[in-house]
Amino acid sequence: QVQLVESGGGVVQPGRSLRLSCAASGFTFSSYAMHWVRQAPGKGLEWVALISFDGNNKYYADSVKGRFTISRDDSKNTLYLQMNSLRTEDTAVYYCARDIGDGDYFRHWGQGTLVTVSS
Amino acid sequence: DIVITQSPDSLAVSLGERATINCKSSQSVLHSSNNKNYLAWYQQKPGQCPKLLIYWASARESGVPDRFSGSGSGTDFTLTISSLQAEDVAVYYCQQYYSTPGGTFGQGTKLEIK
């Protein structure tokens, strides 16, 4: 079965960096595009970033463009999110999600990892 | 950007009664090329990731009880729980995925037992 396990969250000061990981199993990772979606505490869901199955195409929400970088290592079946110049408003649970292929709705999610940006 | 607005923000329904949650899009999410509405519904319980309930506005995800149904087209959509069970207490989100990538989510509707 599809399994996605995020890691790398924690407490970080504003302006600093953090890298999240998402370990995938139960499917052929290299065949699927992957997403990051976040949820601020007590708030709704916000799509963050998408990487194509081959890593050649990357897309970002305006709120993170220029600060976050999505990447993948198919040899490790792992998705990454490099987050630089963090702001307090980036505080959220970050989920990775597998692309479906026929529309950007999300069937498979990880359990999430909490990032807290605070001085 | 397409803005999604859910109503109500919170809802209390008696066990066994019908629960209805509405979702309105600022522009149509009906794609003329395939006549599909790019609208999904999710259920999120405390401490858990969202769970896909409905996609293409009315297609029920495998394993989801048939008391959950989705309807609507264009800009106005509804999630209906025909007979509320205790385990249905959760926050429900709709998402438009007409605008890619990623789409946008509604603010959520908190469903409780009356």
Side-chain angles (χ1 to χ4, degrees):
Chain A
Q1 70 283 14
V2 174
Q3 192 166 11
L4 301 168
V5 179
E6 301 93 337
S7 60
V11 181
V12 61
Q13 293 179 327
R16 304 298 290 265
S17 299
L18 202 62
R19 189 178 81 158
L20 305 183
S21 300
C22 169
S25 60
F27 65 101
T28 304
F29 181 70
S30 58
S31 296
Y32 287 88
M34 295 293 295
H35 301 256
W36 286 99
V37 179
R38 69 182 180 183
Q39 185 171 35
K43 301 296 184 181
L45 298 157
E46 179 188 19
W47 174 81
V48 172
L50 161 66
I51 186 168
S52 61
F53 73 98
D54 57 6
N56 288 336
N57 297 292
K58 304 175 183 181
Y59 306 89
Y60 301 93
D62 288 344
S63 58
V64 307
K65 201 172 295 182
R67 300 187 299 122
F68 288 14
T69 301
I70 189 172
S71 63
R72 64 191 299 154
D73 184 339
D74 290 348
S75 69
K76 296 181 179 179
N77 287 346
T78 301
L79 174 73
Y80 300 102
L81 186 68
Q82 177 67 43
M83 304 185 295
N84 298 333
S85 303
L86 282 161
R87 305 168 180 169
T88 54
E89 56 264 35
D90 295 320
T91 294
V93 174
Y94 285 75
Y95 298 100
C96 61
R98 195 187 81 172
D99 193 75
I100 295 232
D102 69 343
D104 283 354
Y105 58 98
F106 306 112
R107 174 171 289 133
H108 301 290
W109 301 69
Q111 86 289 349
T113 187
L114 176 62
V115 173
T116 302
V117 184
S118 173
S119 55
Chain B
D1 289 2
I2 298 178
V3 177
I4 297 292
T5 304
Q6 293 181 226
S7 62
D9 289 334
S10 63
L11 180 63
V13 175
S14 300
L15 289 173
E17 296 299 305
R18 178 186 300 260
T20 301
I21 299 171
N22 300 301
C23 176
K24 188 172 185 65
S25 175
S26 62
Q27 65 187 73
S28 177
V29 298
L30 175 61
H31 212 293
S32 57
S33 65
N34 56 13
N35 204 37
K36 286 185 173 182
N37 286 285
Y38 283 54
L39 195 287
W41 288 95
Y42 300 85
Q43 175 193 67
Q44 188 178 33
K45 297 181 179 180
Q48 297 184 16
C49 66
K51 174 187 175 183
L52 178 66
L53 297 176
I54 303 286
Y55 55 98
W56 302 126
S58 60
R60 191 181 304 111
E61 173 71 346
S62 176
V64 172
D66 60 7
R67 63 180 180 273
F68 291 90
S69 64
S71 62
S73 185
T75 61
D76 293 280
F77 300 89
T78 300
L79 175 69
T80 301
I81 307 172
S82 60
S83 177
L84 189 70
Q85 305 299 304
E87 60 265 32
D88 300 335
V89 170
V91 178
Y92 291 84
Y93 294 94
C94 61
Q95 176 212 12
Q96 66 79 17
Y97 48 98
Y98 183 93
S99 63
T100 58
T104 51
F105 295 85
Q107 80 278 16
T109 295
K110 186 175 183 179
L111 177 59
E112 299 173 313
I113 304 294
K114 184 186 292 184

